[in-house]
């Protein structure tokens, strides 16, 4: 099979390709089981200790870790292969889970934040692993295959939040603070993820001169490539809207008297939306193209914002449905943009640009987390939802502008 990625294995059989894809899916699932509850619980801890305005800091720290990790992981993957980048990220995440456990025992927010940063680094490896799967397949299957890795997060979406309350109960029975179990779970899950991904095939790294020349000419020039601009418009807008609303939803429910069980249920609905329908998004990206998939995602995000604005306290139907749509709108934009980046970039710059785009996307999420806390404290959850809906219109505007100067091809490759 012809390879389309410089870091792809030189020889790979059908069986090893399937095993590698399976390992990548399992790794993403375990990373979500670790990170999602860890971030949600950290929001509550920060709010209790430092106040509502600081409640978004731990989630922002996780997103910063993901953004910085994306740059580091992409460089490591280009120089040492995809396998090295994935494994190192999961090992650092396990260490982060251990630090967060110690932080809960000692009541230290700073150490907890450091632990969440390292979990975010692990998440960057999990996110970039979708491109590792795409490397093994031809262009007309890349969208679907990378969507399968994103879909692996469904397991974490369902199990992760629902394990917050049981983990707290086990911690209390062991004589530990109730939130300790969440971070012990994170340490265990990411350690297993590292072990599973040892089965990834070793790749032959290359250092293409074209990538060096492009980045020497400036990052700005790289980001002006039409494919990158289209992918960024969808992925960044979706990330901003999704992170802002999702970060404050646990606190919104908490302040209206709902316990951890309700928080877990609503977050599960959201995360099912983020991951469960990924194969459908992948099929759409392969058949209709990344641009159309991003447009559909923007529409779903706008609908989600409208529902959250209309029913900000409905924990039985309104918020679960709004958070589900929020997740699926993000998924459409994320898979559509990723498909463009896996197929339509020059081979010699692909790996670095994928990492750069992921860093920008997750960095924007950090800004959204910090801003969400301030907006929620000074306004309301409905105000936050309205702003998210306005952000979701951005890719539609960008696509319309780019279409005038760069008409979309009849069929995207």
């Amino acid at each position: 099979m012809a390879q389309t990625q410089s870091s792809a294995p030189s020889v790979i059989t059908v069986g090893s390709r399937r095993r590698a894809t399976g390992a990548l899916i399992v790794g993403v699932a375990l990373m979500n089981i670790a990170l999602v509850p860890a971030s949600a619980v950290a929001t509550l801890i920060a709010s209790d200790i430092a106040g509502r305005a600081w409640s978004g800091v731990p989630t922002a720290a996780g997103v910063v870790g993901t953004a910085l990790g994306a740059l580091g992981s992409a460089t490591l993957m280009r120089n040492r292969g995809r396998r090295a980048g994935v494994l190192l990220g999961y090992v650092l995440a396990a260490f982060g889970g251990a630090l967060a456990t110690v932080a809960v025992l000692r009541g230290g927010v700073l150490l907890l934040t450091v632990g969440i940063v390292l979990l975010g680094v692990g998440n960057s490896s999990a996110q970039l692993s979708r491109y590792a799967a795409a490397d093994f397949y031809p262009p007309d299957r890349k969208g679907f295959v990378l969507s399968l890795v994103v879909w692996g997060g469904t397991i974490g979406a369902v199990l992760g939040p629902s394990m917050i309350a049981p983990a707290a109960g086990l911690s209390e029975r062991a004589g530990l603070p109730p939130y300790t179990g969440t971070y012990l779970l994170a340490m265990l899950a990411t350690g297993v993820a590292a072990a599973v991904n040892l089965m990834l095939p070793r790749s032959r790294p290359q250092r293409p001169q074209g990538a060096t020349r492009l980045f020497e000419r400036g990052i700005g020039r790289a980001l002006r490539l039409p494919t990158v601009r289209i992918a960024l418009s969808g992925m960044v807008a979706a990330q901003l809207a999704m992170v802002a609303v999702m970060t404050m939803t646990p606190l919104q429910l908490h302040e209206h008297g709902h316990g951890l069980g309700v928080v877990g249920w609503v977050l599960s609905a959201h995360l099912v939306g983020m991951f469960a329908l990924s194969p459908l998004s992948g099929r759409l990206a392969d058949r209709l193209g990344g641009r159309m998939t991003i447009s559909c995602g923007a529409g779903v995000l706008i609908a989600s914002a409208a529902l959250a604005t209309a029913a900000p306290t409905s924990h039985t139907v309104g918020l679960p449905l709004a958070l589900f749509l929020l997740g699926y709108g993000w998924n459409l934009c994320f898979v559509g943009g990723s498909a463009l980046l896996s197929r339509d970039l020059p081979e010699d710059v692909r790996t670095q640009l994928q990492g750069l785009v992921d860093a920008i996307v997750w960095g924007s999420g950090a800004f959204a987390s910090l801003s969400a806390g301030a907006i929620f404290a000074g306004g309301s959850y409905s105000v936050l939802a309205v702003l998210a809906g306005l952000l979701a219109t951005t890719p539609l505007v960008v696509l319309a502008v780019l279409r005038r100067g760069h008409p979309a091809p009849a069929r995207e490759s």
Side-chain angles (χ1 to χ4, degrees):
M1 183 188 71
Q3 297 296 330
T4 60
Q5 175 60 271
S6 61
S7 61
S10 56
V11 177
I12 184 169
T13 65
V14 174
S16 60
R17 180 172 70 181
R18 290 176 178 172
R19 287 192 296 272
T21 303
L24 293 168
I25 292 171
V26 170
V28 170
L30 289 170
M31 190 66 236
N32 277 337
I33 287 175
L35 183 61
V36 173
S39 296
V41 169
T43 298
L44 301 179
I45 294 172
S47 178
D48 290 342
I49 295 176
R52 296 173 70 194
W54 296 92
S55 57
V57 170
T59 300
V63 179
V64 167
T66 301
L68 295 177
L71 293 174
S73 294
T75 300
L76 183 61
M77 288 176 179
R78 183 173 70 90
N79 294 337
R80 300 292 299 275
R82 298 281 194 187
R83 183 177 185 266
V86 171
L87 289 175
L88 180 60
Y90 288 149
V91 169
L92 290 176
F95 183 61
L99 287 181
T101 301
V102 174
V104 173
L105 291 173
R106 294 184 176 180
V109 175
L110 179 59
L111 188 59
L112 173 63
T113 301
V114 173
I116 297 296
V117 168
L118 291 177
L119 283 166
V121 172
N123 186 48
S124 72
S125 293
Q127 297 300 325
L128 287 172
S129 69
R130 69 192 188 276
Y131 294 119
D135 287 349
F136 301 140
Y137 292 83
D140 61 348
R141 296 186 63 191
K142 287 183 181 295
F144 178 69
V145 170
L146 68 83
S147 75
L148 289 180
V149 178
V150 178
W151 172 85
T154 304
I155 300 171
V158 173
L159 293 181
S162 65
M163 296 178 73
I164 294 176
L170 288 174
S171 296
E172 289 182 316
R173 284 196 289 274
L176 299 172
Y179 293 141
T180 306
T182 295
Y183 299 103
L184 289 172
L185 171 66
M187 181 174 60
L188 176 63
T190 51
V192 173
V196 169
N197 278 272
L198 285 171
M199 71 175 61
L200 293 178
R202 295 182 181 275
S203 55
R204 185 176 59 199
Q206 297 180 10
R207 298 169 179 82
Q209 294 181 351
T212 302
R213 289 198 301 269
L214 186 148
F215 282 91
E216 285 177 350
R217 290 197 298 266
I219 292 176
R221 184 166 182 174
L223 296 179
R224 285 195 295 272
L225 292 171
T227 294
V228 177
R229 294 170 69 184
I230 293 167
L232 269 175
S233 70
M235 296 169 77
V236 169
Q239 187 77 2
L240 286 169
M242 185 272 291
V243 170
V245 175
M246 182 272 292
T247 299
M248 289 299 107
T249 296
L251 194 54
Q252 167 77 355
L253 293 168
H254 179 68
E255 293 193 346
H256 282 81
H258 302 296
L260 292 176
V262 173
V263 172
W265 147 242
V266 174
L267 287 181
S268 291
H270 169 63
L271 291 161
V272 166
M274 284 183 69
F275 303 112
L277 299 181
S278 289
L280 175 60
S281 301
R283 291 295 188 193
L284 290 173
D286 284 339
R287 296 188 179 187
L288 302 180
R291 298 184 183 203
M292 182 60 69
T293 306
I294 289 171
S295 297
C296 293
V300 174
L301 287 171
I302 293 168
S304 166
L307 183 56
T309 302
T313 61
S314 175
H315 69 282
T316 55
V317 178
L319 279 183
L321 180 57
L323 269 289
F324 171 81
L325 293 175
L326 181 72
Y328 189 53
W330 173 87
N331 180 273
L332 285 164
C333 291
F334 190 74
V335 171
S338 298
L340 288 174
L341 296 174
S342 69
R343 287 195 300 243
D344 300 344
L345 289 176
E347 180 179 327
D348 59 353
V349 299
R350 191 176 300 154
T351 300
Q352 281 192 289
L353 278 176
Q354 287 167 347
L356 178 60
V357 169
D358 266 23
I360 294 172
V361 169
W362 294 101
S364 69
F367 172 78
S369 296
L370 292 172
S371 301
I375 293 169
F376 184 79
S380 68
Y381 187 77
S382 294
V383 170
L384 193 62
V386 169
L387 292 176
L390 292 175
L391 284 170
T393 65
T394 303
L396 300 178
V397 174
V398 172
L399 283 167
V401 171
L402 289 178
R403 193 175 293 118
R404 293 179 181 179
H406 303 280
R411 181 180 179 181
E412 294 182 41
S413 60

